[in-house]
């Protein structure tokens, strides 16, 4: 019966193939041999054992975040055995799962039935680790209807014995833009036709609007679209005993994205070493052995409907697993261990060169944008119409209007998003904020303005066009923009806030922006060293701009911050920064200090000038889940000719933060500097510590 089914599938495959399926006869011949060889790659192999290490890291970032954070990390180590007659045996050696933003105490419970699903223990099984996924295997009998194949490079490896191994590449291209199809590179041993190396990615990112429309029904509009993009998956097999290609190393990189607000980069790496081939079972890997006292022994059914042999798993007590000496000292580091950076860069380049068909047109969407509140617009509401032009390109039209100034704003933007960067071309008429520190038009500043009566932004109206590029690669985030704009001043249009209703002062005045035509170039780079809040984390933020037109100027600035534990109970963070403007800049291009991201205890813009310096120091309890803090800030701004000589401002205060500074509340008072000196409450996101 099985042979009849295989014959039928082969006939269907031949019918589905056409003259465009194979770019050359060599690729067709090799693929046919590879299909026939599937499952026989371990002929003559009785058994093998190896130690497998798996590391998973999930980060949390946003383009406006001052630094990246480690949201989840996991490390697991197991000794595995594959036996042709008996099946697979797995002995856990060490397991650790943590949520670093919540501190070392926030360890995730180890599941009772832990298994090593993603590592291909069976060398006769699926060598692309796609089992149970929605991807169509490129060696499936029906794959010719969905893929095109072409011969690629050839690699010849000369062994110490004098034997030569020839590896041949087949490049894989999908026929349509579909998340279930792959684009990639497959390498085969020319002699045996065994698949020994692969690097691939989905034909396009997963987009909830397209691939699971109902799944996004309850997701707020400002968090859409929900996108999951796999940058690459690569898997290598190593030649053992000069005869068998056995699983060696795997790495996956990608990210999830919620609108333009949150980005969650993820890396998974697995590798096997310490191989022992065709030996009898070692202690702990005997399937029939009784578990030690306190240990568990359980069975995991095979994936082929339970027809194959079960996997036997031995698991020590949790206390043994989490304290295992084989676990790494730096599990939060997502950098590769089994791969070199140059290898991965070459892999990304090869995948980027593959042709992938454009996605079919998708319907346009209309959704509200995030409301905001400030002293110019008061409550501002708007909507965005979005038209996908391809899997990577989108046309956006945004409009909004504020109840305070009643001046409509609009922006038409063409956006092309790639794995690590986004290119935009835009024309606009909008309210713009001076944004050297923080994002005054964000939700956080809006809530402070509405409730506490603090609006730390400085605003002007800009009409013009810009071409911009922003991106993120590992710990590096960058942005750049070429613009041509007409600037106009705007006035404070409201003093309404909850605090004002109880007798506090109204909002401070807005800057008197210079009205001019300006074109120029500006850019920003953020990078950091370290992710683990229980260790040293260093971050650099640098930015600059060159402006021409009715005003001609250059400005540069940078800040450096360090955060580190101090002993068992305390931690400390410091930040220093400085900037200067050359030539005479307009009012909207001066440096404005004040508020939670520069100097607390002063309102935004209370301290300003063409040059500045700042220094901040914080002392806190150590655990990042909830920290109690004391701090002091010092800053100066003024004419560059008087750099830092007079009128230094200083403040002190205390605060509380949660989840490694994601949420922060501070109470601060200025004790020297421009009047008035008073207590101020700051509630904000993405703090220094």
């Amino acid at each position: 019966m099985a042979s009849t089914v295989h014959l039928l599938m082969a006939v269907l495959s031949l019918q589905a193939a056409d003259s465009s399926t194979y770019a050359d006869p060599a690729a067709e011949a090799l693929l046919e041999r590879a299909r026939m060889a599937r499952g026989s790659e371990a002929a003559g192999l009785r058994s093998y054992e190896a130690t497998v290490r798996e590391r998973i890291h999930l980060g949390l970032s946003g383009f406006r975040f001052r630094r990246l954070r480690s949201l989840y990390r996991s490390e697991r180590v197991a000794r595995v055995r594959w036996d042709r007659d008996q099946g697979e045996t797995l002995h856990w050696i060490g397991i650790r799962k943590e949520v670093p933003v919540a501190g070392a105490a926030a360890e995730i419970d180890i599941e009772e039935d832990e298994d090593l699903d993603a590592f291909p223990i069976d060398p006769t099984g699926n060598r692309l680790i796609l089992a149970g996924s929605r991807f169509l295997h490129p060696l499936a009998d029906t794959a010719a209807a969905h893929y095109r194949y072409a011969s690629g490079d050839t690699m010849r490896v000369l062994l110490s014995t004098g034997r030569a191994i020839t590896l041949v590449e087949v490049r894989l291209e999908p026929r349509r833009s579909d998340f279930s199809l792959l684009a990639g590179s497959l390498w085969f041993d020319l002699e045996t036709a065994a698949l020994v190396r692969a690097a691939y990615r989905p034909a396009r990112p997963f987009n909830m609007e397209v691939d699971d429309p109902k799944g996004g029904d309850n997701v707020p509009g400002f968090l859409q679209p929900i996108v999951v993009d796999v940058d690459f998956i690569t898997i290598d097999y190593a030649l053992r005993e000069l005869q068998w290609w056995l699983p060696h190393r795997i790495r996956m990189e990608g990210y999830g994205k919620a609108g333009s607000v949150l980005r969650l980069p993820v890396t998974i790496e697995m590798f096997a070493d310490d191989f022992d081939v065709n030996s009898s079972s070692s202690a702990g890997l005997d399937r029939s052995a009784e578990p030690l006292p306190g240990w568990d022994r359980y069975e995991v059914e095979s994936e082929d409907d339970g027809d194959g042999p079960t996997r036997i798993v031995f698991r020590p007590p949790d206390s043994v697993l989490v304290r295992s000496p084989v676990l790494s000292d730096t599990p939060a580091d997502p950098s590769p261990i089994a791969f070199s950076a140059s290898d991965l860069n070459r892999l990304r380049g090869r995948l980027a060169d593959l042709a992938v068909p454009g996605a079919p047109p998708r319907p346009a969407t209309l959704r509200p944008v995030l409301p905001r509140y400030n002293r110019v617009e008061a409550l501002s509401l708007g909507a965005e119409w979005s038209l996908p032009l391809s899997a990577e390109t989108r046309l956006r039209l945004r409009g909004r209007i504020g109840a305070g100034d009643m001046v409509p704003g609009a922006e038409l933007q063409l956006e092309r998003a790639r794995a690590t960067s986004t290119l935009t071309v835009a024309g606009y008429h909008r309210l713009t904020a001076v944004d050297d520190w923080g994002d005054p038009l964000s939700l956080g500043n809006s809530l402070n303005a509405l409730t506490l009566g603090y609006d730390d932004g400085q605003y002007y109206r800009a009409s013009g066009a810009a071409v911009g590029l922003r991106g993120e690669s590992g710990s590096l985030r960058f942005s750049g923009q070429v613009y041509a704009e007409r600037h106009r001043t705007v006035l404070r249009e409201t003093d309404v806030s909850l605090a004002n209703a109880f007798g506090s002062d109204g909002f401070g005045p807005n800057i008197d922006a210079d009205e001019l035509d300006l074109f120029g170039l500006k850019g920003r780079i953020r990078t950091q060293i370290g992710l683990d809040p229980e260790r040293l984390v260093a971050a650099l933020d640098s930015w600059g701009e060159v402006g021409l037109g009715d005003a001609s100027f250059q400005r540069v600035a940078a800040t450096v911050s360090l955060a580190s534990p101090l002993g068992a109970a305390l931690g400390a963070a410091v930040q220093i920064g400085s900037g200067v403007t050359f030539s005479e800049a307009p009012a909207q291009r001066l440096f404005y200090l004040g508020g939670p991201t520069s100097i607390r205890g002063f309102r935004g813009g209370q301290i300003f000038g063409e040059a500045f310096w700042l220094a901040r120091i914080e002392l806190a309890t150590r655990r990042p889940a909830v920290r109690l803090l004391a701090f002091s800030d010092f800053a100066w701004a003024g004419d560059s000719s008087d750099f830092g000589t007079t009128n230094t401002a200083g403040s002190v205060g205390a605060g509380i933060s949660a989840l490694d500074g994601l949420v922060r509340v501070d109470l601060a008072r200025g004790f020297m500097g421009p009047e008035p000196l008073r207590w101020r409450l700051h509630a904000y996101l993405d703090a220094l510590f």
Side-chain angles (χ1 to χ4, degrees):
M1 178 64 181
S3 61
T4 303
V5 172
H6 183 78
L7 178 61
L8 177 60
M9 296 301 292
V11 171
L12 291 175
S13 176
L14 290 174
Q15 291 176 343
D18 57 34
S19 59
S20 67
T21 299
Y22 302 100
D24 54 89
E28 182 177 9
L30 183 56
L31 263 293
E32 285 301 317
R33 291 179 58 211
R35 292 189 181 99
M36 295 179 63
R38 288 184 69 187
S40 63
E41 295 92 345
L45 178 67
R46 298 192 310 274
S47 66
Y48 83 87
E49 292 183 14
T51 299
V52 177
R53 184 181 299 270
E54 173 198 77
R55 294 177 58 161
I56 300 174
H57 183 266
L58 178 65
L60 176 64
S61 71
F63 190 74
R64 287 285 188 173
F65 282 16
R66 73 170 68 233
R67 61 182 173 88
L68 312 179
R69 289 171 172 84
S70 182
L71 187 62
Y72 170 79
R73 65 191 183 198
S74 167
E75 183 176 21
R76 305 192 301 171
V77 185
R79 186 70 180 173
V80 303
R81 178 179 176 84
W82 174 84
D83 188 288
R84 178 178 297 278
D85 298 322
Q86 297 184 12
E88 302 170 7
T89 308
L90 188 152
H91 175 182
W92 286 113
I93 302 174
I95 301 177
R96 175 171 52 200
K97 302 178 179 181
E98 298 172 339
V99 180
V101 294
E107 295 183 356
I108 299 176
D109 292 337
I110 300 172
E111 298 177 10
E112 294 181 359
D113 56 349
E114 291 277 342
D115 197 13
L116 200 63
D117 300 320
F119 192 82
I121 298 175
D122 184 354
T124 69
N126 192 331
R127 299 173 76 82
L128 284 184
I129 60 169
L130 299 179
S133 76
R134 60 189 295 170
F135 299 119
L136 175 65
H137 199 295
L139 297 182
D141 292 324
T142 58
H146 307 279
Y147 292 110
R148 293 186 177 91
Y149 308 89
S151 294
D153 291 344
T154 299
M155 181 187 305
R156 194 166 182 265
V157 181
L158 184 63
L159 305 180
S160 59
T161 61
R163 177 188 169 193
I165 303 274
T166 302
L167 304 181
V168 178
E169 179 191 27
V170 174
R171 296 172 72 81
L172 172 73
E173 295 182 356
R175 290 179 181 266
R176 64 184 185 278
S177 180
D178 191 316
F179 182 69
S180 64
L181 299 181
L182 304 173
S185 172
L186 309 178
W187 289 81
F188 300 90
D189 182 339
L190 185 60
E191 180 180 351
T192 64
L195 177 64
V196 300
R197 176 182 293 178
Y200 54 90
R201 59 179 173 83
R204 64 166 173 80
F206 172 87
N207 188 310
M208 185 172 288
E209 291 178 333
V210 178
D211 301 301
D212 186 14
K214 293 184 179 180
D217 289 347
N218 297 320
V219 178
F222 71 94
L223 291 178
Q224 294 189 26
I226 302 294
V227 173
V228 177
D229 196 351
V230 178
D231 293 339
F232 68 83
I233 300 173
T234 183
I235 177 169
D236 279 352
Y237 289 77
L239 188 64
R240 304 293 176 181
E241 304 298 317
L242 302 181
Q243 187 172 358
W244 298 288
W245 294 94
L246 299 182
H248 173 45
R249 57 182 186 172
I250 302 168
R251 185 170 175 90
M252 186 277 281
E253 293 185 11
Y255 66 90
K257 187 170 69 170
S260 60
V261 180
L262 295 177
R263 193 173 189 269
L264 294 93
V266 59
T267 60
I268 301 174
E269 184 167 314
M270 310 176 74
F271 62 95
D273 57 11
D274 193 17
F275 277 82
D276 191 2
V277 177
N278 282 343
S279 67
S280 59
S281 297
S282 61
L285 289 176
D286 184 354
R287 292 170 63 89
S288 61
E290 289 295 323
L292 296 173
W295 289 42
D296 289 330
R297 178 186 184 276
Y298 52 91
E299 298 181 358
V300 179
E301 291 188 356
S302 63
E303 296 177 347
D304 49 355
D305 300 324
D307 293 336
T310 57
R311 177 182 294 177
I312 302 299
V313 180
F314 291 90
R315 176 184 144 167
D318 291 357
S319 58
V320 174
L321 290 172
V322 299
R323 294 179 176 85
S324 173
V326 303
L327 294 174
S328 170
D329 291 334
T330 57
D333 186 359
S335 59
I337 298 177
F339 297 84
S340 70
S342 59
D343 286 343
L344 296 180
N345 287 335
R346 284 194 296 268
L347 181 153
R348 294 186 185 97
R350 295 183 72 86
L351 291 180
D353 291 339
L354 292 172
V356 177
R362 305 200 302 269
T365 58
L366 179 65
R367 59 171 63 100
V369 296
L370 196 64
R372 66 192 188 201
Y373 191 85
N374 54 70
R375 64 182 180 274
V376 176
E377 297 173 306
L379 178 62
S380 172
L381 302 175
E384 176 185 276
W385 177 78
S386 176
L387 175 64
L389 303 178
S390 70
E392 298 177 332
T393 308
R394 180 184 298 261
L395 184 67
R396 300 178 187 269
L397 176 61
R398 299 188 189 98
R400 69 162 64 235
I401 189 169
D405 61 354
M406 293 301 293
V407 176
E411 179 175 353
L412 180 64
Q413 176 176 291
L414 183 65
E415 174 185 284
R416 182 173 178 81
R418 302 299 298 271
T420 59
S421 63
T422 300
L423 176 67
T424 59
V425 179
Y428 46 84
H429 174 70
R430 64 193 180 194
L431 184 71
T432 303
V434 178
D435 58 354
D436 291 318
W437 292 273
D439 183 3
L441 293 173
S442 67
L443 176 62
N445 189 66
S446 296
L447 292 176
N448 281 337
L450 184 60
T451 58
L452 302 176
Y454 301 159
D455 185 352
D456 291 317
Q458 308 299 323
Y459 306 102
Y460 61 96
R461 202 169 306 280
S463 305
V467 178
L469 178 69
R470 71 172 186 267
E472 179 174 337
S473 178
S475 61
L476 175 68
R477 289 172 291 163
F478 59 89
S479 66
Q481 186 182 83
V482 178
Y483 65 87
E485 297 177 339
R486 170 165 291 182
H487 292 182
R488 293 293 180 266
T489 190
V490 294
L491 302 176
R492 180 182 62 188
E493 300 290 351
T494 183
D495 276 321
V496 175
S497 69
L498 183 62
N500 183 248
F502 288 91
S504 71
D505 296 340
F507 296 114
N510 188 50
I511 61 170
D512 186 13
D514 292 331
E515 300 198 350
L516 46 74
D517 294 329
L518 194 67
F519 64 92
L521 170 67
K522 59 183 177 180
R524 192 161 197 157
I525 296 176
R526 295 181 174 95
T527 188
Q528 72 184 68
I529 300 173
L531 282 170
D532 191 343
E534 299 289 345
R535 298 172 181 267
L536 174 67
V537 177
L540 168 68
D541 183 2
S542 58
W543 63 101
E545 181 178 7
V546 175
L548 298 170
D550 292 341
S552 178
F553 63 92
Q554 306 84 42
R555 61 199 301 262
V556 293
T559 63
V560 177
S561 61
L562 302 172
S564 176
L566 291 180
L570 296 177
V574 296
Q575 181 183 33
I576 58 173
S578 182
V580 63
T581 301
F582 303 97
S583 302
E584 186 173 347
Q588 56 269 35
R589 289 299 188 265
L590 301 178
F591 295 104
Y592 293 89
L593 283 70
T597 55
S598 56
I599 177 167
R600 288 157 288 195
F602 295 87
R603 73 174 163 78
Q606 195 170 347
I607 304 166
F608 63 93
E610 62 183 21
F612 81 93
W613 63 259
L614 63 83
R616 293 148 54 95
I617 184 168
E618 301 185 349
L619 187 65
T621 54
R622 175 165 173 170
R623 301 306 179 193
V626 177
R627 288 188 176 112
L628 302 177
L629 307 102
F631 59 83
S632 185
D633 299 339
F634 297 90
W636 171 90
D639 293 340
S640 56
S641 58
D642 300 327
F643 195 90
T645 57
T646 58
N647 299 324
T648 297
S651 68
V652 295
I656 183 171
S657 75
L659 300 177
D660 193 23
L662 278 175
V663 180
R664 179 77 174 262
V665 178
D666 292 332
L667 181 63
R669 179 180 175 84
F671 64 86
M672 64 179 185
E675 300 290 341
L677 301 177
R678 59 179 58 174
W679 289 100
R680 289 176 65 89
L681 182 68
H682 301 282
Y684 56 107
L685 303 176
D686 185 34
L688 177 64
F689 206 31

